[in-house]
Amino acid sequence: MFVKFRYLFAFLLILLIPFQALSDQAEQSDTSENAVLLILGDSLSAAYGLQQHEGWVSLLQKMWQDDNIPIDIVNAAVSGETTDGGLARFPRLLEQHNPTHVLIELGGNDGLQGHNIGKIRDNLDSLVSVAKESNAVVFLQEMQIPSNYGKRYTQMFTQNFNKVAEAQDVQKIPFFLEEIALNKDLMQNDGIHPNAEAQPLIANFMDRHLRSLILGAQ
């Protein structure tokens, strides 16, 4: 079912504040034949509270480099980002990096702010459409919010990702914190963000889901 995050109040205070996190970063080789995966996300992909090299995105890039996997990552995740903010930044990112693949990891902050479910779905749909217009292959990351928001809202929120993925015929990636968020030993002191020990687990999870999809779609 839905993930029950600890310290909900801290969750709201921390995730709803937009931070100027490092973004638009890439460890790209000069090999033009490499696939380029752009990650449009929030604090969960921006290594919040950690050094950039400790985050799952950097660890995934290193894993692929060590395995000679021809995929370069552009981490365009920003803490506090919403689907509105992502839509505003997205065209410039696509033009700047010309990715072959895009992972959309947004919506969590919209849900925490209680945004209209239909508006969230429309924004996610628009993000996928914009990515498709650039000829990128799109992956939609499922997000979850605390059950404290009520059964109906949390269910409708999560169903948004299924509906958009099905309507747009894109691959949905399961929520990467479903098990990790329940283990306090894998969470930072705020009880919300995964700690350094959790990052390799997320990187391995994302590798299992993304590597074959990207290489198979080239």
Side-chain angles (χ1 to χ4, degrees), residues 171-199:
Q171 182 71 43
K172 185 193 72 173
I173 306 299
F175 185 49
F176 53 52
L177 292 187
E178 185 142 15
E179 299 299 328
I180 289 173
L182 298 176
N183 186 344
K184 66 179 181 180
D185 293 331
L186 295 176
M187 303 299 287
Q188 296 184 38
N189 290 334
D190 59 25
I192 303 307
H193 294 89
N195 61 24
E197 287 72 25
Q199 301 300 316

mmCIF file of all heavy atoms in Angstrom, residues 171-199:
data_model
loop_
_atom_site.group_PDB
_atom_site.id
_atom_site.type_symbol
_atom_site.label_atom_id
_atom_site.label_comp_id
_atom_site.label_asym_id
_atom_site.label_seq_id
_atom_site.Cartn_x
_atom_site.Cartn_y
_atom_site.Cartn_z
ATOM 1 N N GLN A 171 6.916 4.143 -20.088
ATOM 2 C CA GLN A 171 7.253 3.207 -19.023
ATOM 3 C C GLN A 171 7.192 3.900 -17.670
ATOM 4 O O GLN A 171 7.825 4.938 -17.454
ATOM 5 C CB GLN A 171 8.664 2.652 -19.241
ATOM 6 C CG GLN A 171 9.093 1.618 -18.214
ATOM 7 C CD GLN A 171 8.356 0.309 -18.379
ATOM 8 O OE1 GLN A 171 8.186 -0.167 -19.493
ATOM 9 N NE2 GLN A 171 7.932 -0.282 -17.271
ATOM 10 N N LYS A 172 6.448 3.313 -16.730
ATOM 11 C CA LYS A 172 6.412 3.818 -15.360
ATOM 12 C C LYS A 172 7.430 3.057 -14.526
ATOM 13 O O LYS A 172 7.495 1.830 -14.576
ATOM 14 C CB LYS A 172 5.020 3.652 -14.758
ATOM 15 C CG LYS A 172 4.872 4.278 -13.370
ATOM 16 C CD LYS A 172 3.585 3.832 -12.683
ATOM 17 C CE LYS A 172 3.671 2.379 -12.254
ATOM 18 N NZ LYS A 172 2.522 1.938 -11.432
ATOM 19 N N ILE A 173 8.250 3.791 -13.750
ATOM 20 C CA ILE A 173 9.235 3.191 -12.858
ATOM 21 C C ILE A 173 8.645 3.180 -11.445
ATOM 22 O O ILE A 173 8.174 4.216 -10.966
ATOM 23 C CB ILE A 173 10.552 3.991 -12.868
ATOM 24 C CG1 ILE A 173 11.073 4.164 -14.307
ATOM 25 C CG2 ILE A 173 11.593 3.298 -11.984
ATOM 26 C CD1 ILE A 173 11.377 2.891 -15.026
ATOM 27 N N PRO A 174 8.668 2.053 -10.738
ATOM 28 C CA PRO A 174 8.101 2.001 -9.387
ATOM 29 C C PRO A 174 8.779 2.984 -8.433
ATOM 30 O O PRO A 174 9.941 3.352 -8.616
ATOM 31 C CB PRO A 174 8.348 0.552 -8.955
ATOM 32 C CG PRO A 174 8.518 -0.211 -10.226
ATOM 33 C CD PRO A 174 9.180 0.739 -11.177
ATOM 34 N N PHE A 175 8.052 3.395 -7.413
ATOM 35 C CA PHE A 175 8.569 4.322 -6.404
ATOM 36 C C PHE A 175 9.800 3.729 -5.739
ATOM 37 O O PHE A 175 9.747 2.634 -5.176
ATOM 38 C CB PHE A 175 7.490 4.593 -5.373
ATOM 39 C CG PHE A 175 7.857 5.628 -4.339
ATOM 40 C CD1 PHE A 175 8.390 6.858 -4.710
ATOM 41 C CD2 PHE A 175 7.646 5.380 -2.994
ATOM 42 C CE1 PHE A 175 8.707 7.817 -3.760
ATOM 43 C CE2 PHE A 175 7.951 6.331 -2.039
ATOM 44 C CZ PHE A 175 8.489 7.556 -2.418
ATOM 45 N N PHE A 176 10.911 4.427 -5.781
ATOM 46 C CA PHE A 176 12.173 3.846 -5.320
ATOM 47 C C PHE A 176 12.389 3.885 -3.811
ATOM 48 O O PHE A 176 13.382 3.367 -3.311
ATOM 49 C CB PHE A 176 13.380 4.443 -6.049
ATOM 50 C CG PHE A 176 13.472 5.953 -6.048
ATOM 51 C CD1 PHE A 176 13.394 6.687 -4.892
ATOM 52 C CD2 PHE A 176 13.664 6.633 -7.253
ATOM 53 C CE1 PHE A 176 13.510 8.075 -4.902
ATOM 54 C CE2 PHE A 176 13.775 8.005 -7.282
ATOM 55 C CZ PHE A 176 13.695 8.735 -6.097
ATOM 56 N N LEU A 177 11.463 4.493 -3.056
ATOM 57 C CA LEU A 177 11.627 4.546 -1.604
ATOM 58 C C LEU A 177 10.597 3.708 -0.858
ATOM 59 O O LEU A 177 10.493 3.813 0.359
ATOM 60 C CB LEU A 177 11.537 5.998 -1.102
ATOM 61 C CG LEU A 177 12.665 6.949 -1.484
ATOM 62 C CD1 LEU A 177 12.483 8.278 -0.763
ATOM 63 C CD2 LEU A 177 14.024 6.359 -1.142
ATOM 64 N N GLU A 178 9.848 2.893 -1.553
ATOM 65 C CA GLU A 178 8.745 2.186 -0.909
ATOM 66 C C GLU A 178 9.213 1.354 0.284
ATOM 67 O O GLU A 178 8.553 1.318 1.313
ATOM 68 C CB GLU A 178 8.014 1.298 -1.911
ATOM 69 C CG GLU A 178 6.796 0.629 -1.324
ATOM 70 C CD GLU A 178 5.645 0.540 -2.289
ATOM 71 O OE1 GLU A 178 5.870 0.727 -3.490
ATOM 72 O OE2 GLU A 178 4.532 0.281 -1.826
ATOM 73 N N GLU A 179 10.334 0.682 0.159
ATOM 74 C CA GLU A 179 10.864 -0.111 1.267
ATOM 75 C C GLU A 179 11.828 0.703 2.117
ATOM 76 O O GLU A 179 11.820 0.612 3.348
ATOM 77 C CB GLU A 179 11.573 -1.357 0.714
ATOM 78 C CG GLU A 179 10.677 -2.290 -0.090
ATOM 79 C CD GLU A 179 9.538 -2.848 0.732
ATOM 80 O OE1 GLU A 179 9.712 -3.042 1.957
ATOM 81 O OE2 GLU A 179 8.458 -3.099 0.150
ATOM 82 N N ILE A 180 12.632 1.515 1.487
ATOM 83 C CA ILE A 180 13.662 2.283 2.197
ATOM 84 C C ILE A 180 13.056 3.240 3.209
ATOM 85 O O ILE A 180 13.551 3.388 4.335
ATOM 86 C CB ILE A 180 14.539 3.047 1.185
ATOM 87 C CG1 ILE A 180 15.414 2.059 0.418
ATOM 88 C CG2 ILE A 180 15.415 4.095 1.885
ATOM 89 C CD1 ILE A 180 16.197 2.676 -0.716
ATOM 90 N N ALA A 181 11.962 3.905 2.862
ATOM 91 C CA ALA A 181 11.362 4.908 3.747
ATOM 92 C C ALA A 181 10.843 4.309 5.041
ATOM 93 O O ALA A 181 10.641 5.037 6.030
ATOM 94 C CB ALA A 181 10.233 5.637 3.020
ATOM 95 N N LEU A 182 10.624 3.018 5.080
ATOM 96 C CA LEU A 182 10.126 2.365 6.284
ATOM 97 C C LEU A 182 11.246 1.938 7.222
ATOM 98 O O LEU A 182 10.983 1.467 8.319
ATOM 99 C CB LEU A 182 9.285 1.141 5.890
ATOM 100 C CG LEU A 182 8.034 1.433 5.060
ATOM 101 C CD1 LEU A 182 7.357 0.134 4.656
ATOM 102 C CD2 LEU A 182 7.072 2.328 5.826
ATOM 103 N N ASN A 183 12.486 2.095 6.794
ATOM 104 C CA ASN A 183 13.641 1.684 7.594
ATOM 105 C C ASN A 183 14.380 2.928 8.086
ATOM 106 O O ASN A 183 15.074 3.593 7.318
ATOM 107 C CB ASN A 183 14.567 0.811 6.737
ATOM 108 C CG ASN A 183 15.717 0.228 7.537
ATOM 109 O OD1 ASN A 183 16.026 0.672 8.646
ATOM 110 N ND2 ASN A 183 16.376 -0.774 6.965
ATOM 111 N N LYS A 184 14.241 3.231 9.376
ATOM 112 C CA LYS A 184 14.831 4.460 9.914
ATOM 113 C C LYS A 184 16.351 4.468 9.791
ATOM 114 O O LYS A 184 16.974 5.534 9.772
ATOM 115 C CB LYS A 184 14.424 4.654 11.373
ATOM 116 C CG LYS A 184 14.964 3.607 12.330
ATOM 117 C CD LYS A 184 14.521 3.895 13.752
ATOM 118 C CE LYS A 184 15.077 2.857 14.730
ATOM 119 N NZ LYS A 184 14.636 3.145 16.123
ATOM 120 N N ASP A 185 16.963 3.296 9.695
ATOM 121 C CA ASP A 185 18.418 3.231 9.561
ATOM 122 C C ASP A 185 18.889 3.680 8.189
ATOM 123 O O ASP A 185 20.089 3.901 7.988
ATOM 124 C CB ASP A 185 18.915 1.802 9.814
ATOM 125 C CG ASP A 185 18.717 1.361 11.258
ATOM 126 O OD1 ASP A 185 18.734 2.235 12.147
ATOM 127 O OD2 ASP A 185 18.536 0.151 11.487
ATOM 128 N N LEU A 186 17.971 3.794 7.254
ATOM 129 C CA LEU A 186 18.314 4.223 5.902
ATOM 130 C C LEU A 186 17.861 5.646 5.612
ATOM 131 O O LEU A 186 17.987 6.120 4.488
ATOM 132 C CB LEU A 186 17.685 3.270 4.872
ATOM 133 C CG LEU A 186 18.200 1.832 4.898
ATOM 134 C CD1 LEU A 186 17.424 0.975 3.910
ATOM 135 C CD2 LEU A 186 19.696 1.786 4.599
ATOM 136 N N MET A 187 17.374 6.322 6.656
ATOM 137 C CA MET A 187 16.855 7.677 6.473
ATOM 138 C C MET A 187 17.692 8.692 7.241
ATOM 139 O O MET A 187 18.314 8.358 8.257
ATOM 140 C CB MET A 187 15.402 7.751 6.932
ATOM 141 C CG MET A 187 14.469 6.771 6.222
ATOM 142 S SD MET A 187 14.376 7.024 4.442
ATOM 143 C CE MET A 187 13.411 8.546 4.375
ATOM 144 N N GLN A 188 17.710 9.920 6.754
ATOM 145 C CA GLN A 188 18.395 10.991 7.455
ATOM 146 C C GLN A 188 17.618 11.336 8.732
ATOM 147 O O GLN A 188 16.517 10.845 8.977
ATOM 148 C CB GLN A 188 18.529 12.217 6.555
ATOM 149 C CG GLN A 188 19.387 11.974 5.323
ATOM 150 C CD GLN A 188 19.597 13.208 4.484
ATOM 151 O OE1 GLN A 188 19.752 14.317 5.003
ATOM 152 N NE2 GLN A 188 19.601 13.038 3.165
ATOM 153 N N ASN A 189 18.191 12.222 9.537
ATOM 154 C CA ASN A 189 17.571 12.568 10.818
ATOM 155 C C ASN A 189 16.193 13.192 10.671
ATOM 156 O O ASN A 189 15.395 13.156 11.610
ATOM 157 C CB ASN A 189 18.479 13.519 11.612
ATOM 158 C CG ASN A 189 19.740 12.838 12.116
ATOM 159 O OD1 ASN A 189 19.755 11.626 12.314
ATOM 160 N ND2 ASN A 189 20.794 13.610 12.320
ATOM 161 N N ASP A 190 15.901 13.773 9.507
ATOM 162 C CA ASP A 190 14.579 14.347 9.310
ATOM 163 C C ASP A 190 13.511 13.266 9.117
ATOM 164 O O ASP A 190 12.316 13.558 9.110
ATOM 165 C CB ASP A 190 14.561 15.326 8.129
ATOM 166 C CG ASP A 190 14.968 14.690 6.799
ATOM 167 O OD1 ASP A 190 14.817 13.465 6.648
ATOM 168 O OD2 ASP A 190 15.430 15.420 5.912
ATOM 169 N N GLY A 191 13.951 12.004 8.979
ATOM 170 C CA GLY A 191 13.014 10.920 8.800
ATOM 171 C C GLY A 191 12.383 10.884 7.431
ATOM 172 O O GLY A 191 11.462 10.114 7.165
ATOM 173 N N ILE A 192 12.877 11.707 6.521
ATOM 174 C CA ILE A 192 12.254 11.873 5.213
ATOM 175 C C ILE A 192 13.183 11.482 4.075
ATOM 176 O O ILE A 192 12.835 10.695 3.213
ATOM 177 C CB ILE A 192 11.816 13.345 5.013
ATOM 178 C CG1 ILE A 192 10.877 13.773 6.131
ATOM 179 C CG2 ILE A 192 11.166 13.519 3.648
ATOM 180 C CD1 ILE A 192 9.695 12.855 6.328
ATOM 181 N N HIS A 193 14.371 12.066 4.072
ATOM 182 C CA HIS A 193 15.284 11.859 2.958
ATOM 183 C C HIS A 193 16.185 10.655 3.201
ATOM 184 O O HIS A 193 16.679 10.464 4.315
ATOM 185 C CB HIS A 193 16.134 13.105 2.721
ATOM 186 C CG HIS A 193 15.357 14.290 2.273
ATOM 187 N ND1 HIS A 193 14.801 15.179 3.153
ATOM 188 C CD2 HIS A 193 15.020 14.714 1.038
ATOM 189 C CE1 HIS A 193 14.154 16.115 2.477
ATOM 190 N NE2 HIS A 193 14.274 15.851 1.191
ATOM 191 N N PRO A 194 16.434 9.854 2.191
ATOM 192 C CA PRO A 194 17.332 8.709 2.354
ATOM 193 C C PRO A 194 18.751 9.170 2.651
ATOM 194 O O PRO A 194 19.214 10.183 2.125
ATOM 195 C CB PRO A 194 17.241 7.993 0.999
ATOM 196 C CG PRO A 194 16.779 9.047 0.041
ATOM 197 C CD PRO A 194 15.886 9.944 0.821
ATOM 198 N N ASN A 195 19.439 8.415 3.521
ATOM 199 C CA ASN A 195 20.799 8.792 3.886
ATOM 200 C C ASN A 195 21.815 8.181 2.933
ATOM 201 O O ASN A 195 21.453 7.562 1.928
ATOM 202 C CB ASN A 195 21.089 8.412 5.343
ATOM 203 C CG ASN A 195 20.962 6.906 5.595
ATOM 204 O OD1 ASN A 195 21.101 6.099 4.678
ATOM 205 N ND2 ASN A 195 20.700 6.529 6.838
ATOM 206 N N ALA A 196 23.091 8.370 3.261
ATOM 207 C CA ALA A 196 24.154 7.896 2.366
ATOM 208 C C ALA A 196 24.115 6.383 2.210
ATOM 209 O O ALA A 196 24.419 5.858 1.127
ATOM 210 C CB ALA A 196 25.517 8.337 2.897
ATOM 211 N N GLU A 197 23.741 5.661 3.278
ATOM 212 C CA GLU A 197 23.690 4.202 3.202
ATOM 213 C C GLU A 197 22.594 3.728 2.247
ATOM 214 O O GLU A 197 22.698 2.643 1.652
ATOM 215 C CB GLU A 197 23.440 3.610 4.595
ATOM 216 C CG GLU A 197 24.632 3.674 5.539
ATOM 217 C CD GLU A 197 24.919 5.088 6.020
ATOM 218 O OE1 GLU A 197 23.973 5.911 6.034
ATOM 219 O OE2 GLU A 197 26.075 5.371 6.369
ATOM 220 N N ALA A 198 21.555 4.522 2.095
ATOM 221 C CA ALA A 198 20.444 4.133 1.225
ATOM 222 C C ALA A 198 20.728 4.388 -0.248
ATOM 223 O O ALA A 198 20.134 3.737 -1.118
ATOM 224 C CB ALA A 198 19.176 4.896 1.625
ATOM 225 N N GLN A 199 21.639 5.310 -0.532
ATOM 226 C CA GLN A 199 21.848 5.722 -1.921
ATOM 227 C C GLN A 199 22.301 4.589 -2.840
ATOM 228 O O GLN A 199 21.800 4.469 -3.970
ATOM 229 C CB GLN A 199 22.829 6.894 -1.983
ATOM 230 C CG GLN A 199 22.394 8.135 -1.205
ATOM 231 C CD GLN A 199 21.079 8.714 -1.686
ATOM 232 O OE1 GLN A 199 20.845 8.840 -2.893
ATOM 233 N NE2 GLN A 199 20.211 9.093 -0.756
#
